[in-house]
Amino acid sequence: NLICNHIDDCGDGSDEKDCILSFRCETGFPKSISKAEICNGVFDCSDGSDECGKGCDNDRMLKIRGFQYTAIFFGVLSTSLNSYTIYQGTLMLLKCQSANLRINHFFMTLIGVGDLCMGLYLIFLGSSDVHYGTRYCPLKYEWLTSKTCSFLGVLSTFGSLFSLYIMTLISLYRALSVAGKLGKLLSNEKRILQLAAGIGILIATLAIFLSVIPLLPSFRDYFSNGIYYPEVKLFPRLADINSHVSFVEKYKEISNDTSTTSKNWVDLIEFVESHLKKEDFGESTYQTFYGNNAVCIFKYFVKNSDPHYVLSLAITIMNCFCIITITLCYSYVVYKTQMETDVKGIIRDDKRQISNQRKIQIKLFLIAITDLLTLIPFY
């Protein structure tokens, strides 16, 4: 039966009119689709009319009304507080005489840098939502494949990972310091400051590498979700690797080509470009790893079939390890400090040390609060 099969068999679309279970696309192709495909998050109509209609609620980048201003507010707040933290930390690095205090302030300054990136991310994200407004839905794939979305993904991933890894490092440092395992090292101020700076650089390098690796062309097979074709009938508007494999296999079948079809992006695109005219597939843009969602953040929870499953799982395990380490270290620090206070009592030197410890704890608390503030708009 060729009637209501979502294919314009008559040429004028008359065989697809008045179909109860079909949805007619406003313009473009195909002429109609199944009603089950409406509002499913995929542009089955090339003009996006199946996703940008009144009943889909996909008109804005951020789903909840007013969240763009919430994101901007918390972004400005986080940026301001962490800028002040960085400024204060830098001053304390220059003023403090104690190696222990200088190390603590150095690490807190680095945490402020990571959280500052998260604040900037929220400002850019909220501003982008304001810019697109209700025009977002038809421009969805342009945004998801844009360099701005990739930049926001790198910025947020680096900021969150850098802050977490530095927080883990400072937790270990404080626990070892309280346990008295750093006595000799603390006596050599120059050496321990160089060591701290070196570790900080290594952590920054690791965070940058993990946030940038999904964008590298050589790793495209593991992280690219598809290719965006604005005006091409040969492919879906956003075609994943399976769509390209299917197209190449059909092409080979028609041309009696019995060669094995490769399943990596480089070979598939090379085949398409060598066998089709440029006007047949037009301009195209890769959807990067950060184009998984409108807010362009790292996708931690993915299916086993997703090409980036290994990296997502590895980073999730690392993050869980860091959180457990932070919890255990600070529990030990609180326990050990309380035990020493009960045994020694409080004398003048102890009061001074306790006062310094409390100041550091307050600053760490403020930094943790700004971390939480940057996450609020996503929950």
Side-chain angles (χ1 to χ4, degrees):
N1 187 359
L2 300 180
I3 300 175
C4 298
N5 66 345
H6 312 304
I7 299 175
D8 185 7
D9 299 291
C10 293
D12 60 359
S14 58
D15 57 315
E16 298 302 312
K17 289 182 178 180
D18 303 320
C19 297
I20 298 176
L21 299 178
S22 297
F23 172 84
R24 284 187 64 82
C25 302
E26 294 179 4
T27 59
F29 53 89
K31 294 295 183 181
S32 66
I33 61 172
S34 170
K35 282 189 176 180
E37 296 176 305
I38 301 174
C39 304
N40 65 348
V42 179
F43 281 26
D44 299 291
C45 295
S46 63
D47 60 2
S49 55
D50 59 314
E51 297 299 317
C52 302
K54 294 182 180 179
C56 293
D57 194 29
N58 290 327
D59 58 329
R60 297 198 71 100
M61 184 186 302
L62 300 178
K63 301 298 182 183
I64 301 179
R65 306 294 178 180
F67 254 39
Q68 65 273 31
Y69 301 110
T70 304
I72 293 174
F73 171 77
F74 283 120
V76 171
L77 180 62
S78 176
T79 302
S80 302
L81 290 176
N82 285 292
S83 295
Y84 178 74
T85 298
I86 295 170
Y87 171 74
Q88 282 290 95
T90 304
L91 288 181
M92 294 304 294
L93 278 172
L94 299 175
K95 292 181 179 180
C96 286
Q97 301 297 322
S98 167
N100 185 40
L101 287 177
R102 294 183 73 178
I103 293 297
N104 278 291
H105 286 296
F106 173 70
F107 286 145
M108 285 190 292
T109 301
L110 294 184
I111 294 173
V113 171
D115 291 348
L116 177 65
C117 291
M118 289 300 298
L120 293 174
Y121 160 77
L122 287 176
I123 293 173
F124 281 121
L125 180 65
S127 300
S128 297
D129 183 81
V130 172
H131 170 72
Y132 279 97
T134 56
R135 300 179 297 110
Y136 171 71
C137 187
L139 301 174
K140 172 183 175 180
Y141 290 130
E142 291 184 14
W143 166 251
L144 294 179
T145 57
S146 67
K147 293 181 179 179
T148 303
C149 182
S150 296
F151 167 74
L152 291 182
V154 171
L155 188 66
S156 61
T157 303
F158 168 78
S160 60
L161 293 181
F162 186 61
S163 292
L164 180 62
Y165 296 162
I166 292 295
M167 182 67 78
T168 305
L169 180 61
I170 192 174
S171 301
L172 287 169
Y173 170 79
R174 290 176 65 79
L176 291 172
S177 180
V178 169
K181 302 296 184 180
L182 300 176
K184 292 182 179 180
L185 192 59
L186 286 173
S187 62
N188 190 333
E189 182 176 342
K190 183 178 180 181
R191 182 182 175 187
I192 194 171
L193 288 174
Q194 289 176 342
L195 181 61
I199 295 176
I201 292 173
L202 286 176
I203 291 177
T205 303
L206 175 62
I208 291 173
F209 174 75
L210 292 176
S211 58
V212 171
I213 190 175
L215 303 180
L216 299 178
S218 55
F219 292 96
R220 193 165 279 162
D221 288 338
Y222 301 100
F223 299 107
S224 181
N225 296 295
I227 298 180
Y228 169 52
Y229 296 99
E231 297 293 337
V232 181
K233 294 185 178 182
L234 295 174
F235 296 102
R237 200 172 186 188
L238 183 66
D240 61 13
I241 197 165
N242 292 325
S243 299
H244 286 80
V245 170
S246 177
F247 170 80
V248 171
E249 288 178 344
K250 289 180 180 178
Y251 189 97
K252 287 183 176 181
E253 182 180 350
I254 295 172
S255 58
N256 296 320
D257 186 345
T258 58
S259 62
T260 303
T261 301
S262 173
K263 293 188 178 181
N264 66 70
W265 281 115
V266 175
D267 293 338
L268 290 170
I269 299 305
E270 184 179 344
F271 182 93
V272 171
E273 292 179 348
S274 62
H275 289 77
L276 299 177
K277 297 179 181 178
K278 180 67 176 178
E279 53 267 24
D280 288 333
F281 59 90
E283 297 297 328
S284 60
T285 310
Y286 280 96
Q287 182 188 26
T288 67
F289 173 74
Y290 295 113
N292 281 295
N293 46 63
V295 294
C296 308
I297 57 176
F298 193 97
K299 191 177 181 182
Y300 284 102
F301 303 103
V302 298
K303 300 178 181 178
N304 293 359
S305 56
D306 285 348
H308 36 75
Y309 173 76
V310 175
L311 179 68
S312 297
L313 179 63
I315 293 183
T316 300
I317 292 173
M318 288 175 62
N319 290 353
C320 290
F321 172 78
C322 289
I323 293 171
I324 293 172
T325 301
I326 292 170
T327 303
L328 292 176
C329 286
Y330 271 99
S331 298
Y332 174 76
V333 169
V334 172
Y335 168 77
K336 190 72 172 178
T337 303
Q338 186 62 43
M339 288 290 292
E340 291 181 354
T341 301
D342 292 341
V343 172
K344 295 180 180 180
I346 299 179
I347 58 177
R348 181 177 299 177
D349 290 340
D350 292 331
K351 287 183 178 180
R352 185 178 304 168
Q353 289 181 5
I354 291 172
S355 176
N356 289 334
Q357 292 294 332
R358 284 178 178 173
K359 288 180 180 179
I360 292 173
Q361 292 291 357
I362 290 173
K363 289 183 179 180
L364 287 172
F365 174 76
L366 292 175
I367 292 172
I369 289 296
T370 59
D371 282 340
L372 293 175
L373 291 177
T374 59
L375 296 177
I376 287 176
F378 303 112
Y379 290 92

